[in-house]
Amino acid sequence: MSSKHDNTDVRGAMLKNEFTRQRWELFHRAIAHAKQSNDASLEESDMASSKSKPSGPILTIVR
């Protein structure tokens, strides 16, 4: 094998690792955003329900 071929493999592996790292970072940012959005929605619904007469128990599904 030539050193040129080895050099290309190393660069390819580095790029693949960088793309994987970026993909995981984006995934974790999306999860954090979803949690924040869900919390804001729950707080908003709590505010709205505290202003009105309670209609009964609220059931939530926890996964």
Side-chain angles (χ1 to χ4, degrees):
M1 257 190 186
S2 69
S3 63
K4 183 178 180 182
H5 184 65
D6 290 339
N7 215 2
T8 305
D9 288 345
V10 170
R11 284 190 210 137
M14 287 173 58
L15 281 175
K16 184 177 179 183
N17 288 338
E18 180 63 18
F19 289 146
T20 301
R21 185 193 65 76
Q22 288 176 356
R23 190 169 48 233
W24 274 108
E25 183 179 333
L26 184 61
F27 172 76
H28 288 291
R29 285 172 54 192
I31 294 296
H33 177 71
K35 281 183 178 181
Q36 186 179 26
S37 177
N38 191 29
D39 288 344
S41 176
L42 288 173
E43 286 178 12
E44 198 174 277
S45 68
D46 286 345
M47 292 275 200
S49 67
S50 67
K51 291 179 183 177
S52 64
K53 185 177 177 183
S55 61
I58 297 175
L59 301 176
T60 58
I61 298 173
V62 179
R63 294 179 188 194

